[in-house]
Amino acid sequence: MHRQEATHRSLEHAEPTLVSDTNEIDIDAPDEPLALPLDGWHRARGARMVPFAGYQMPIQYEGIMAEHLWTRESAGLFDVSHMGQLILSGEGVEAALEKMVPGDIAALAEGKQRYSLLLAEDGGILDDLMITRAPMGLYVVVNGAVKWDDIAHLREYLPDEITISHLEDRALLALQGPKAVDALKRVVPGVDRLFFMEASSFLWGLEPLWISRSGYTGEDGFEISLPAEHAAEFADLLCKEPEVKPIGLGARDSLRLEAGLPLYGHDLDPATDPVEGDLSFAISKRRRAEGGFPSADRILKALAGGAARKRVGLSVEGKMPVREGALLFAGADVVGEVTSGGFAPTVNAPIAMGYVATAHAAVGTTLEAEVRGKRVAVSVTALPFVPHRYHRKGAAQ
Amino acid sequence: MTRYFTDEHEWIDVDGSTATVGITDYAQGQLGDIVFVETPEAGKKLTKGGDAAVVESVKAASDVYAPVSGTVTEGNPALADDPALVNSDPEGEGWFFKLTLDDPSQLDGLMDADAYKAFVAGL
Protein backbone atom coordinates (compact mmCIF):
# COMPACT_ATOMS: atom_id res chain seq x y z
CA MET A 1 0.00 0.00 0.00
CA HIS A 2 1.37 3.33 -0.89
CA ARG A 3 0.01 6.80 -0.56
CA GLN A 4 -0.47 8.45 -3.92
CA GLU A 5 -0.02 11.93 -2.64
CA ALA A 6 0.26 13.75 0.59
CA THR A 7 -2.96 15.55 0.97
CA HIS A 8 -3.22 17.14 4.28
CA ARG A 9 -2.64 20.66 4.63
CA SER A 10 -4.87 23.03 6.09
CA LEU A 11 -4.41 26.37 7.30
CA GLU A 12 -6.37 29.15 8.31
CA HIS A 13 -6.73 32.64 8.57
CA ALA A 14 -7.85 34.45 11.32
CA GLU A 15 -7.47 36.43 14.21
CA PRO A 16 -6.32 39.16 16.34
CA THR A 17 -4.07 39.61 19.13
CA LEU A 18 -2.44 41.69 21.51
CA VAL A 19 0.82 42.63 22.13
CA SER A 20 2.64 42.73 25.15
CA ASP A 21 5.48 40.52 24.27
CA THR A 22 7.40 40.82 21.11
CA ASN A 23 10.47 39.16 19.79
CA GLU A 24 13.17 40.01 17.39
CA ILE A 25 12.32 38.91 13.91
CA ASP A 26 14.07 35.74 12.92
CA ILE A 27 14.24 35.50 9.16
CA ASP A 28 15.65 31.99 9.10
CA ALA A 29 12.93 29.49 8.33
CA PRO A 30 13.30 26.19 10.16
CA ASP A 31 14.41 23.15 8.16
CA GLU A 32 13.33 20.33 10.48
CA PRO A 33 9.73 20.22 11.70
CA LEU A 34 9.58 22.06 15.00
CA ALA A 35 7.41 21.37 18.01
CA LEU A 36 4.56 23.79 18.71
CA PRO A 37 3.69 24.80 22.28
CA LEU A 38 0.95 22.17 22.50
CA ASP A 39 3.01 19.30 21.00
CA GLY A 40 2.94 17.19 24.14
CA TRP A 41 -0.68 18.07 24.79
CA HIS A 42 -1.68 16.71 21.36
CA ARG A 43 0.34 13.52 21.76
CA ALA A 44 -1.17 12.88 25.20
CA ARG A 45 -4.59 12.98 23.57
CA GLY A 46 -3.69 10.38 20.97
CA ALA A 47 -3.11 12.71 18.05
CA ARG A 48 -1.35 11.42 14.98
CA MET A 49 1.32 14.01 14.26
CA VAL A 50 2.50 14.95 10.76
CA PRO A 51 4.92 17.57 9.46
CA PHE A 52 3.06 20.61 8.20
CA ALA A 53 4.25 24.14 7.46
CA GLY A 54 7.54 23.44 9.22
CA TYR A 55 5.96 22.05 12.40
CA GLN A 56 4.80 18.75 13.80
CA MET A 57 1.04 19.11 13.85
CA PRO A 58 -1.94 16.90 14.75
CA ILE A 59 -3.65 15.55 11.63
CA GLN A 60 -6.32 13.72 13.62
CA TYR A 61 -7.31 12.34 17.00
CA GLU A 62 -10.27 9.94 16.82
CA GLY A 63 -10.78 10.27 13.06
CA ILE A 64 -11.35 12.99 10.49
CA MET A 65 -14.97 12.11 9.77
CA ALA A 66 -16.05 12.13 13.43
CA GLU A 67 -14.04 15.27 14.17
CA HIS A 68 -15.53 17.09 11.19
CA LEU A 69 -19.11 16.22 12.13
CA TRP A 70 -18.49 17.08 15.80
CA THR A 71 -17.31 20.56 14.83
CA ARG A 72 -20.42 21.16 12.68
CA GLU A 73 -22.77 20.18 15.49
CA SER A 74 -20.91 21.16 18.66
CA ALA A 75 -17.46 22.76 19.07
CA GLY A 76 -13.96 21.80 17.98
CA LEU A 77 -10.67 23.10 19.35
CA PHE A 78 -7.93 23.60 16.75
CA ASP A 79 -4.31 24.44 17.44
CA VAL A 80 -3.21 26.90 14.77
CA SER A 81 -0.10 28.12 16.52
CA HIS A 82 1.91 27.53 13.34
CA MET A 83 0.35 30.65 11.89
CA GLY A 84 2.28 33.88 12.07
CA GLN A 85 1.03 36.54 14.46
CA LEU A 86 2.43 39.98 13.74
CA ILE A 87 1.94 43.49 15.01
CA LEU A 88 2.63 46.29 12.57
CA SER A 89 2.96 49.63 14.26
CA GLY A 90 4.25 53.14 13.70
CA GLU A 91 3.10 56.42 12.28
CA GLY A 92 1.30 55.91 8.98
CA VAL A 93 1.14 52.12 9.20
CA GLU A 94 -2.31 51.98 7.58
CA ALA A 95 -1.26 53.90 4.50
CA ALA A 96 1.97 51.93 4.25
CA LEU A 97 0.17 48.60 4.41
CA GLU A 98 -2.46 49.74 1.91
CA LYS A 99 0.31 49.92 -0.70
CA MET A 100 0.56 46.12 -0.40
CA VAL A 101 -3.06 45.01 0.13
CA PRO A 102 -6.33 45.98 -1.63
CA GLY A 103 -8.41 46.38 1.53
CA ASP A 104 -9.51 49.59 3.25
CA ILE A 105 -7.24 49.51 6.27
CA ALA A 106 -7.55 53.20 7.10
CA ALA A 107 -11.27 52.76 7.78
CA LEU A 108 -10.77 49.80 10.08
CA ALA A 109 -12.05 50.78 13.53
CA GLU A 110 -10.43 49.41 16.66
CA GLY A 111 -11.56 45.85 17.27
CA LYS A 112 -12.62 45.30 13.68
CA GLN A 113 -11.06 42.57 11.60
CA ARG A 114 -10.79 42.28 7.83
CA TYR A 115 -9.74 39.52 5.42
CA SER A 116 -7.17 40.77 2.95
CA LEU A 117 -4.53 39.72 0.45
CA LEU A 118 -0.82 40.44 0.40
CA LEU A 119 -0.06 41.23 -3.24
CA ALA A 120 3.20 41.06 -5.19
CA GLU A 121 4.07 43.89 -7.56
CA ASP A 122 2.46 41.99 -10.43
CA GLY A 123 -0.78 41.59 -8.46
CA GLY A 124 -0.21 37.92 -7.66
CA ILE A 125 -1.32 36.72 -4.22
CA LEU A 126 1.59 36.19 -1.82
CA ASP A 127 -0.71 35.26 1.05
CA ASP A 128 -4.18 35.74 2.41
CA LEU A 129 -4.35 37.18 5.86
CA MET A 130 -6.46 38.72 8.59
CA ILE A 131 -5.86 42.30 9.66
CA THR A 132 -7.32 43.72 12.87
CA ARG A 133 -6.92 47.10 14.43
CA ALA A 134 -5.69 46.44 17.96
CA PRO A 135 -4.65 48.97 20.59
CA MET A 136 -0.97 48.39 19.87
CA GLY A 137 -1.18 48.58 16.10
CA LEU A 138 -2.41 46.37 13.29
CA TYR A 139 -2.59 42.73 14.36
CA VAL A 140 -1.97 40.54 11.34
CA VAL A 141 -2.33 36.76 11.13
CA VAL A 142 -0.64 35.07 8.19
CA ASN A 143 -0.39 31.50 6.97
CA GLY A 144 2.23 29.36 8.67
CA ALA A 145 3.69 27.94 5.48
CA VAL A 146 4.64 31.37 4.12
CA LYS A 147 5.05 33.44 7.27
CA TRP A 148 8.80 33.87 6.88
CA ASP A 149 8.39 35.00 3.28
CA ASP A 150 5.62 37.37 4.36
CA ILE A 151 7.76 38.91 7.05
CA ALA A 152 10.64 39.39 4.63
CA HIS A 153 8.31 40.94 2.05
CA LEU A 154 6.71 43.26 4.58
CA ARG A 155 10.11 44.33 5.88
CA GLU A 156 11.31 45.06 2.36
CA TYR A 157 8.27 47.11 1.35
CA LEU A 158 7.26 48.84 4.57
CA PRO A 159 9.15 52.01 5.48
CA ASP A 160 11.78 51.73 8.19
CA GLU A 161 9.69 53.63 10.71
CA ILE A 162 7.08 50.86 10.70
CA THR A 163 7.89 48.20 13.29
CA ILE A 164 7.09 44.54 12.63
CA SER A 165 6.80 42.48 15.78
CA HIS A 166 6.53 38.73 15.33
CA LEU A 167 4.69 37.33 18.35
CA GLU A 168 6.56 34.05 18.40
CA ASP A 169 5.84 33.41 22.04
CA ARG A 170 2.09 33.38 21.56
CA ALA A 171 -0.05 30.38 20.73
CA LEU A 172 -3.18 30.59 18.59
CA LEU A 173 -6.21 28.41 19.21
CA ALA A 174 -9.48 28.29 17.27
CA LEU A 175 -12.73 27.15 18.87
CA GLN A 176 -15.23 26.53 16.09
CA GLY A 177 -18.80 25.31 15.90
CA PRO A 178 -22.35 26.29 16.84
CA LYS A 179 -21.72 25.62 20.54
CA ALA A 180 -18.33 27.34 20.67
CA VAL A 181 -19.87 30.43 22.21
CA ASP A 182 -21.55 28.45 24.98
CA ALA A 183 -18.32 26.74 25.96
CA LEU A 184 -16.02 29.73 25.65
CA LYS A 185 -18.18 32.17 27.59
CA ARG A 186 -18.04 29.89 30.62
CA VAL A 187 -14.25 30.07 30.56
CA VAL A 188 -13.94 33.67 29.38
CA PRO A 189 -17.06 35.63 30.35
CA GLY A 190 -18.13 38.32 27.91
CA VAL A 191 -16.91 36.83 24.64
CA ASP A 192 -20.50 36.44 23.47
CA ARG A 193 -20.69 40.18 22.93
CA LEU A 194 -18.41 39.92 19.91
CA PHE A 195 -19.91 39.67 16.45
CA PHE A 196 -18.29 38.03 13.42
CA MET A 197 -15.02 39.75 12.48
CA GLU A 198 -14.75 41.66 15.74
CA ALA A 199 -11.98 41.26 18.28
CA SER A 200 -11.10 42.44 21.73
CA SER A 201 -8.97 41.77 24.77
CA PHE A 202 -10.54 39.66 27.54
CA LEU A 203 -9.21 38.77 30.94
CA TRP A 204 -8.74 35.10 31.80
CA GLY A 205 -7.85 35.43 35.43
CA LEU A 206 -5.07 37.98 35.30
CA GLU A 207 -4.05 37.02 31.80
CA PRO A 208 -5.25 39.15 28.89
CA LEU A 209 -6.30 37.09 25.88
CA TRP A 210 -6.87 38.56 22.45
CA ILE A 211 -10.00 36.96 21.04
CA SER A 212 -11.74 37.42 17.71
CA ARG A 213 -14.99 35.97 16.47
CA SER A 214 -13.75 34.40 13.27
CA GLY A 215 -12.43 31.16 11.87
CA TYR A 216 -11.91 28.85 8.96
CA THR A 217 -14.75 26.34 9.14
CA GLY A 218 -17.80 28.34 8.03
CA GLU A 219 -19.21 27.99 11.55
CA ASP A 220 -19.54 30.52 14.32
CA GLY A 221 -16.44 30.48 16.46
CA PHE A 222 -13.47 32.24 17.97
CA GLU A 223 -9.75 32.53 17.59
CA ILE A 224 -7.75 33.05 20.74
CA SER A 225 -4.24 34.41 20.97
CA LEU A 226 -2.48 33.77 24.26
CA PRO A 227 0.99 33.33 25.71
CA ALA A 228 2.39 29.95 24.66
CA GLU A 229 3.25 29.08 28.25
CA HIS A 230 -0.45 29.11 29.19
CA ALA A 231 -1.76 27.35 26.08
CA ALA A 232 -1.90 23.83 27.54
CA GLU A 233 -3.76 24.95 30.65
CA PHE A 234 -6.24 26.93 28.58
CA ALA A 235 -6.77 24.08 26.10
CA ASP A 236 -7.38 21.73 29.03
CA LEU A 237 -10.02 24.04 30.46
CA LEU A 238 -11.81 24.30 27.12
CA CYS A 239 -11.77 20.55 26.61
CA LYS A 240 -13.38 20.05 30.00
CA GLU A 241 -16.46 21.78 28.62
CA PRO A 242 -18.85 19.09 27.36
CA GLU A 243 -19.24 20.73 23.94
CA VAL A 244 -15.52 20.69 23.12
CA LYS A 245 -13.19 18.11 21.58
CA PRO A 246 -9.76 18.65 20.03
CA ILE A 247 -9.83 18.54 16.23
CA GLY A 248 -6.95 17.91 13.83
CA LEU A 249 -5.76 19.42 10.59
CA GLY A 250 -7.53 16.77 8.52
CA ALA A 251 -10.98 17.95 9.58
CA ARG A 252 -9.83 21.55 9.37
CA ASP A 253 -9.18 20.97 5.68
CA SER A 254 -12.50 19.24 4.97
CA LEU A 255 -14.42 21.88 6.95
CA ARG A 256 -12.85 24.81 5.12
CA LEU A 257 -13.38 23.11 1.75
CA GLU A 258 -17.10 22.69 2.46
CA ALA A 259 -17.16 26.34 3.53
CA GLY A 260 -15.68 27.30 0.14
CA LEU A 261 -12.66 28.93 1.77
CA PRO A 262 -9.44 28.83 -0.26
CA LEU A 263 -6.25 27.33 1.13
CA TYR A 264 -3.13 29.31 0.38
CA GLY A 265 -0.52 27.36 -1.58
CA HIS A 266 -3.22 25.24 -3.16
CA ASP A 267 -6.20 27.37 -4.18
CA LEU A 268 -4.24 30.62 -4.13
CA ASP A 269 -0.67 31.32 -5.18
CA PRO A 270 1.55 34.04 -6.68
CA ALA A 271 0.28 33.22 -10.20
CA THR A 272 -3.30 34.06 -9.14
CA ASP A 273 -4.76 37.52 -8.71
CA PRO A 274 -7.71 38.49 -6.49
CA VAL A 275 -10.26 38.55 -9.33
CA GLU A 276 -9.31 35.09 -10.59
CA GLY A 277 -9.37 33.86 -7.02
CA ASP A 278 -13.00 35.03 -6.69
CA LEU A 279 -11.91 37.25 -3.82
CA SER A 280 -13.05 40.56 -5.26
CA PHE A 281 -14.90 41.21 -2.01
CA ALA A 282 -11.46 41.82 -0.48
CA ILE A 283 -10.97 44.83 -2.78
CA SER A 284 -12.64 47.53 -0.72
CA LYS A 285 -14.88 50.17 -2.28
CA ARG A 286 -12.55 53.06 -1.59
CA ARG A 287 -9.60 51.14 -3.02
CA ARG A 288 -11.59 50.40 -6.19
CA ALA A 289 -11.99 54.13 -6.66
CA GLU A 290 -8.49 55.14 -5.61
CA GLY A 291 -6.30 52.18 -6.55
CA GLY A 292 -2.84 52.47 -5.05
CA PHE A 293 -2.28 48.73 -4.45
CA PRO A 294 0.03 46.53 -6.55
CA SER A 295 -1.06 46.23 -10.21
CA ALA A 296 -4.24 48.11 -9.35
CA ASP A 297 -4.86 49.19 -12.95
CA ARG A 298 -4.76 45.63 -14.27
CA ILE A 299 -6.74 44.17 -11.37
CA LEU A 300 -9.44 46.86 -11.53
CA LYS A 301 -9.72 46.31 -15.27
CA ALA A 302 -10.22 42.60 -14.65
CA LEU A 303 -12.76 43.44 -11.96
CA ALA A 304 -14.80 45.42 -14.48
CA GLY A 305 -14.30 43.20 -17.52
CA GLY A 306 -13.77 39.77 -16.03
CA ALA A 307 -10.70 37.58 -15.66
CA ALA A 308 -9.70 34.78 -18.01
CA ARG A 309 -10.30 32.16 -15.35
CA LYS A 310 -12.08 31.89 -12.04
CA ARG A 311 -12.06 29.84 -8.86
CA VAL A 312 -15.24 27.77 -8.62
CA GLY A 313 -16.81 25.00 -6.56
CA LEU A 314 -17.34 21.61 -8.17
CA SER A 315 -19.89 18.98 -7.26
CA VAL A 316 -18.68 15.50 -8.15
CA GLU A 317 -20.92 12.74 -9.51
CA GLY A 318 -20.60 9.39 -7.78
CA LYS A 319 -18.38 8.55 -4.86
CA MET A 320 -14.84 8.76 -6.21
CA PRO A 321 -12.97 11.74 -4.77
CA VAL A 322 -11.48 14.20 -7.25
CA ARG A 323 -8.33 15.69 -5.76
CA GLU A 324 -5.82 18.46 -6.30
CA GLY A 325 -4.14 18.28 -9.70
CA ALA A 326 -7.00 16.62 -11.59
CA LEU A 327 -7.49 18.27 -14.99
CA LEU A 328 -10.94 19.54 -15.98
CA PHE A 329 -12.26 18.94 -19.48
CA ALA A 330 -15.02 20.29 -21.69
CA GLY A 331 -15.11 17.55 -24.30
CA ALA A 332 -11.52 17.10 -25.48
CA ASP A 333 -10.34 20.49 -24.27
CA VAL A 334 -8.62 21.10 -20.97
CA VAL A 335 -10.44 24.06 -19.44
CA GLY A 336 -9.20 23.98 -15.86
CA GLU A 337 -7.67 22.18 -12.93
CA VAL A 338 -8.74 21.09 -9.47
CA THR A 339 -6.82 22.80 -6.66
CA SER A 340 -8.51 21.18 -3.63
CA GLY A 341 -10.76 18.19 -3.42
CA GLY A 342 -11.81 15.32 -1.27
CA PHE A 343 -14.68 13.68 0.51
CA ALA A 344 -16.97 16.14 2.28
CA PRO A 345 -18.41 14.59 5.46
CA THR A 346 -21.32 17.02 5.90
CA VAL A 347 -22.24 16.98 2.21
CA ASN A 348 -21.66 13.21 2.31
CA ALA A 349 -20.16 13.22 -1.18
CA PRO A 350 -16.93 14.22 -2.89
CA ILE A 351 -16.52 17.93 -3.58
CA ALA A 352 -13.76 20.01 -5.12
CA MET A 353 -12.58 23.51 -5.83
CA GLY A 354 -10.59 24.58 -8.85
CA TYR A 355 -9.95 27.07 -11.61
CA VAL A 356 -11.80 27.02 -14.91
CA ALA A 357 -11.81 29.25 -17.97
CA THR A 358 -14.45 31.92 -17.47
CA ALA A 359 -16.54 30.61 -20.38
CA HIS A 360 -17.06 27.44 -18.33
CA ALA A 361 -17.42 29.04 -14.90
CA ALA A 362 -21.19 29.58 -14.75
CA VAL A 363 -22.99 27.67 -12.01
CA GLY A 364 -24.52 24.54 -13.49
CA THR A 365 -21.88 24.06 -16.20
CA THR A 366 -21.07 20.37 -16.59
CA LEU A 367 -17.44 19.36 -17.04
CA GLU A 368 -15.37 16.23 -16.64
CA ALA A 369 -12.45 15.65 -14.28
CA GLU A 370 -9.77 13.12 -15.12
CA VAL A 371 -8.81 10.79 -12.27
CA ARG A 372 -6.36 7.94 -12.89
CA GLY A 373 -7.15 8.07 -16.62
CA LYS A 374 -10.92 7.99 -16.13
CA ARG A 375 -13.42 10.77 -16.66
CA VAL A 376 -15.78 11.76 -13.87
CA ALA A 377 -18.68 14.17 -14.34
CA VAL A 378 -18.51 17.35 -12.23
CA SER A 379 -20.63 20.46 -12.25
CA VAL A 380 -19.82 24.02 -11.31
CA THR A 381 -21.52 24.77 -8.00
CA ALA A 382 -22.03 27.94 -5.99
CA LEU A 383 -19.79 28.27 -2.94
CA PRO A 384 -20.04 27.50 -0.11
CA PHE A 385 -21.15 23.87 -0.24
CA VAL A 386 -22.36 24.14 3.36
CA PRO A 387 -23.95 27.47 4.35
CA HIS A 388 -21.93 29.75 6.60
CA ARG A 389 -23.36 30.21 10.08
CA TYR A 390 -21.45 33.25 11.26
CA HIS A 391 -22.72 35.42 14.10
CA ARG A 392 -23.09 38.56 12.05
CA LYS A 393 -24.03 41.90 13.51
CA GLY A 394 -27.49 42.94 12.43
CA ALA A 395 -28.40 39.52 11.08
CA ALA A 396 -31.37 37.60 12.41
CA GLN A 397 -29.98 35.24 15.01
CA MET B 1 -6.94 -22.26 3.73
CA THR B 2 -3.81 -20.34 4.63
CA ARG B 3 -3.51 -16.63 5.31
CA TYR B 4 -0.39 -14.74 4.34
CA PHE B 5 0.60 -11.12 4.94
CA THR B 6 2.81 -8.69 3.04
CA ASP B 7 4.98 -5.84 4.24
CA GLU B 8 2.61 -3.57 2.28
CA HIS B 9 -0.07 -4.45 4.86
CA GLU B 10 -2.16 -6.72 2.68
CA TRP B 11 -3.52 -10.14 3.57
CA ILE B 12 -4.04 -13.04 1.17
CA ASP B 13 -6.22 -16.06 1.89
CA VAL B 14 -5.12 -18.93 -0.37
CA ASP B 15 -7.33 -21.91 -1.14
CA GLY B 16 -5.73 -24.09 -3.79
CA SER B 17 -5.04 -21.85 -6.77
CA THR B 18 -7.48 -19.11 -5.78
CA ALA B 19 -6.83 -16.27 -3.38
CA THR B 20 -8.71 -13.42 -1.69
CA VAL B 21 -6.89 -10.15 -1.03
CA GLY B 22 -7.57 -7.30 1.37
CA ILE B 23 -5.78 -4.80 3.58
CA THR B 24 -5.00 -5.42 7.23
CA ASP B 25 -6.58 -3.94 10.30
CA TYR B 26 -3.36 -2.01 10.89
CA ALA B 27 -3.60 -0.55 7.38
CA GLN B 28 -7.20 0.60 7.76
CA GLY B 29 -6.30 2.20 11.08
CA GLN B 30 -3.49 4.13 9.44
CA LEU B 31 -5.68 5.24 6.54
CA GLY B 32 -8.61 6.38 8.65
CA ASP B 33 -12.14 6.73 7.33
CA ILE B 34 -12.37 4.96 3.95
CA VAL B 35 -14.69 6.76 1.53
CA PHE B 36 -13.98 5.01 -1.78
CA VAL B 37 -12.42 1.79 -3.06
CA GLU B 38 -11.61 1.09 -6.69
CA THR B 39 -11.38 -2.68 -7.18
CA PRO B 40 -10.11 -4.43 -10.33
CA GLU B 41 -12.57 -5.97 -12.78
CA ALA B 42 -12.88 -9.69 -13.42
CA GLY B 43 -10.45 -10.82 -16.09
CA LYS B 44 -7.81 -8.24 -15.31
CA LYS B 45 -4.26 -9.61 -15.25
CA LEU B 46 -2.27 -8.48 -12.24
CA THR B 47 1.50 -8.58 -11.88
CA LYS B 48 3.09 -9.01 -8.48
CA GLY B 49 4.02 -5.58 -7.21
CA GLY B 50 1.87 -3.78 -9.79
CA ASP B 51 -1.16 -1.59 -9.14
CA ALA B 52 -4.22 -3.61 -8.25
CA ALA B 53 -6.68 -1.33 -6.45
CA VAL B 54 -7.01 2.14 -4.98
CA VAL B 55 -8.30 2.93 -1.52
CA GLU B 56 -9.25 6.49 -0.62
CA SER B 57 -9.62 7.95 2.82
CA VAL B 58 -10.98 11.41 3.55
CA LYS B 59 -7.51 12.82 3.21
CA ALA B 60 -5.68 10.79 0.57
CA ALA B 61 -5.69 8.12 -2.12
CA SER B 62 -3.42 5.08 -1.71
CA ASP B 63 -2.48 2.36 -4.16
CA VAL B 64 -2.91 -1.27 -3.26
CA TYR B 65 -0.38 -3.48 -5.03
CA ALA B 66 -0.91 -7.02 -6.22
CA PRO B 67 0.80 -9.25 -3.65
CA VAL B 68 1.10 -12.02 -6.25
CA SER B 69 0.53 -12.33 -10.00
CA GLY B 70 -2.75 -13.71 -11.27
CA THR B 71 -6.07 -13.10 -12.98
CA VAL B 72 -8.86 -11.31 -11.13
CA THR B 73 -12.05 -13.31 -10.78
CA GLU B 74 -14.08 -10.81 -8.78
CA GLY B 75 -13.88 -7.40 -7.12
CA ASN B 76 -15.85 -7.03 -3.89
CA PRO B 77 -19.16 -5.53 -5.06
CA ALA B 78 -20.16 -4.56 -1.51
CA LEU B 79 -17.43 -1.90 -1.35
CA ALA B 80 -19.11 0.26 -3.99
CA ASP B 81 -22.00 1.09 -1.68
CA ASP B 82 -20.25 0.67 1.63
CA PRO B 83 -16.53 1.42 1.46
CA ALA B 84 -16.51 1.76 5.27
CA LEU B 85 -16.60 -2.07 5.41
CA VAL B 86 -12.83 -1.76 5.03
CA ASN B 87 -12.77 0.05 8.38
CA SER B 88 -15.31 -2.09 10.19
CA ASP B 89 -14.24 -5.53 8.93
CA PRO B 90 -10.96 -5.20 7.03
CA GLU B 91 -9.93 -8.81 7.27
CA GLY B 92 -13.42 -10.20 6.51
CA GLU B 93 -16.32 -8.54 4.66
CA GLY B 94 -14.03 -5.71 3.59
CA TRP B 95 -11.96 -7.86 1.20
CA PHE B 96 -10.89 -6.19 -2.07
CA PHE B 97 -10.67 -8.84 -4.81
CA LYS B 98 -10.23 -12.52 -5.61
CA LEU B 99 -7.80 -13.89 -8.13
CA THR B 100 -6.42 -17.09 -9.66
CA LEU B 101 -2.76 -17.47 -8.86
CA ASP B 102 -0.25 -17.63 -11.71
CA ASP B 103 2.56 -18.99 -9.62
CA PRO B 104 1.94 -20.26 -6.08
CA SER B 105 5.67 -20.16 -5.39
CA GLN B 106 5.30 -16.37 -5.16
CA LEU B 107 3.74 -16.98 -1.77
CA ASP B 108 7.08 -18.12 -0.45
CA GLY B 109 8.60 -15.45 1.66
CA LEU B 110 5.31 -13.80 2.66
CA MET B 111 4.60 -13.58 6.36
CA ASP B 112 2.25 -15.63 8.48
CA ALA B 113 0.05 -14.02 11.13
CA ASP B 114 2.68 -14.15 13.86
CA ALA B 115 5.42 -12.77 11.66
CA TYR B 116 3.16 -9.94 10.49
CA LYS B 117 2.21 -9.12 14.06
CA ALA B 118 5.89 -8.86 14.95
CA PHE B 119 6.49 -6.74 11.83
CA VAL B 120 3.77 -4.26 12.83
CA ALA B 121 5.02 -4.18 16.40
CA GLY B 122 8.40 -3.07 15.07
CA LEU B 123 7.00 -0.12 13.09
Side-chain angles (χ1 to χ4, degrees):
Chain A
M1 218 171 52
H2 181 257
R3 171 148 303 165
Q4 292 184 328
E5 59 191 35
T7 334
H8 1 10
R9 11 122 175 205
S10 137
L11 294 197
E12 158 160 82
H13 329 104
E15 167 132 7
T17 210
L18 181 61
V19 137
S20 31
D21 4 46
T22 63
N23 284 356
E24 293 289 324
I25 291 169
D26 175 4
I27 300 291
D28 296 327
D31 295 317
E32 292 296 312
L34 300 175
L36 288 169
L38 289 176
D39 190 270
W41 189 91
H42 296 307
R43 292 175 196 273
R45 276 153 193 79
R48 185 175 302 164
M49 305 295 281
V50 298
F52 179 82
Y55 297 94
Q56 291 289 341
M57 296 195 63
I59 182 83
Q60 66 171 69
Y61 301 83
E62 61 179 307
I64 294 173
M65 199 89 82
E67 291 169 33
H68 177 115
L69 296 172
W70 180 266
T71 303
R72 286 260 183 263
E73 69 183 33
S74 189
L77 180 65
F78 302 78
D79 179 11
V80 289
S81 301
H82 64 301
M83 300 187 76
Q85 301 181 63
L86 313 176
I87 295 281
L88 311 183
S89 57
E91 185 70 27
V93 64
E94 299 84 4
L97 187 59
E98 282 193 356
K99 294 197 168 101
M100 307 164 74
V101 305
D104 189 343
I105 308 305
L108 208 53
E110 187 167 316
K112 299 291 185 183
Q113 176 173 340
R114 178 157 286 170
Y115 175 83
S116 198
L117 301 164
L118 186 64
L119 298 180
E121 287 182 1
D122 68 357
I125 300 172
L126 296 174
D127 199 3
D128 59 346
L129 38 79
M130 287 289 188
I131 301 170
T132 310
R133 188 186 293 273
M136 310 294 286
L138 296 174
Y139 171 66
V140 178
V141 177
V142 301
N143 280 301
V146 290
K147 65 184 175 185
W148 302 105
D149 294 336
D150 288 359
I151 291 168
H153 184 83
L154 288 165
R155 189 62 284 166
E156 181 179 350
Y157 283 83
L158 289 173
D160 291 345
E161 52 276 25
I162 302 300
T163 301
I164 305 173
S165 303
H166 185 192
L167 311 182
E168 289 190 272
D169 51 2
R170 292 185 80 88
L172 190 59
L173 302 176
L175 187 68
Q176 299 282 298
K179 297 180 182 172
V181 62
D182 301 324
L184 187 60
K185 74 181 181 189
R186 269 180 239 128
V187 177
V188 186
V191 294
D192 49 321
R193 70 174 167 80
L194 293 176
F195 287 99
F196 181 58
M197 298 298 268
E198 291 181 345
S200 188
S201 184
F202 293 86
L203 277 181
W204 170 50
L206 295 175
E207 194 63 54
L209 311 178
W210 184 257
I211 299 179
S212 67
R213 199 154 191 171
S214 55
Y216 194 45
T217 59
E219 298 296 330
D220 184 22
F222 299 85
E223 293 169 295
I224 304 136
S225 172
L226 75 172
E229 64 198 76
H230 300 311
E233 184 190 355
F234 190 75
D236 270 340
L237 273 181
L238 286 179
C239 285
K240 279 181 187 152
E241 298 299 325
E243 298 91 348
V244 180
K245 287 185 182 180
I247 307 295
L249 282 181
R252 184 171 168 76
D253 194 41
S254 55
L255 287 158
R256 69 90 195 168
L257 181 59
E258 286 184 341
L261 302 172
L263 174 59
Y264 192 79
H266 301 272
D267 308 304
L268 303 176
D269 62 27
T272 305
D273 71 33
V275 180
E276 295 170 320
D278 196 28
L279 300 171
S280 300
F281 74 89
I283 308 173
S284 300
K285 188 177 171 191
R286 177 175 63 80
R287 307 303 306 279
R288 294 181 187 205
E290 295 177 4
F293 54 87
S295 289
D297 290 350
R298 184 178 67 74
I299 289 171
L300 292 174
K301 196 172 289 178
L303 190 62
R309 62 186 188 125
K310 189 185 164 203
R311 183 173 62 93
V312 298
L314 298 163
S315 294
V316 179
E317 191 173 288
K319 291 195 165 188
M320 183 167 72
V322 174
R323 300 185 189 273
E324 181 176 6
L327 295 178
L328 295 165
F329 290 83
D333 300 328
V334 174
V335 298
E337 184 173 345
V338 170
T339 51
S340 282
F343 184 81
T346 300
V347 178
N348 195 29
I351 59 172
M353 194 185 282
Y355 282 82
V356 296
T358 302
H360 302 278
V363 167
T365 305
T366 302
L367 301 170
E368 286 181 317
E370 190 173 276
V371 179
R372 295 186 290 271
K374 287 184 219 131
R375 295 287 185 93
V376 187
V378 301
S379 62
V380 176
T381 305
L383 296 173
F385 296 95
V386 173
H388 294 164
R389 297 195 286 179
Y390 301 137
H391 184 69
R392 292 182 188 277
K393 193 170 196 169
Q397 301 298 333
Chain B
M1 193 159 68
T2 311
R3 176 166 290 198
Y4 300 89
F5 294 85
T6 75
D7 58 9
E8 295 281 351
H9 305 287
E10 293 153 310
W11 55 266
I12 315 162
D13 275 347
V14 179
D15 189 2
S17 64
T18 67
T20 305
V21 176
I23 67 170
T24 65
D25 186 56
Y26 174 83
Q28 71 79 22
Q30 289 293 307
L31 290 169
D33 302 305
I34 306 296
V35 297
F36 182 77
V37 181
E38 186 174 299
T39 57
E41 291 176 8
K44 186 171 183 185
K45 297 274 195 189
L46 300 181
T47 305
K48 181 177 179 173
D51 292 343
V54 176
V55 57
E56 301 213 28
S57 68
V58 175
K59 62 180 187 278
S62 301
D63 292 314
V64 175
Y65 300 133
V68 290
S69 299
T71 303
V72 175
T73 56
E74 185 185 12
N76 185 353
L79 298 183
D81 285 334
D82 191 7
L85 276 176
V86 179
N87 292 122
S88 60
D89 193 9
E91 301 188 23
E93 292 300 310
W95 59 276
F96 276 39
F97 57 90
K98 297 178 191 288
L99 80 171
T100 307
L101 299 178
D102 280 352
D103 177 5
S105 74
Q106 288 181 340
L107 299 166
D108 298 344
L110 297 183
M111 290 177 269
D112 64 13
D114 287 343
Y116 178 70
K117 196 173 168 186
F119 171 69
V120 167
L123 293 178

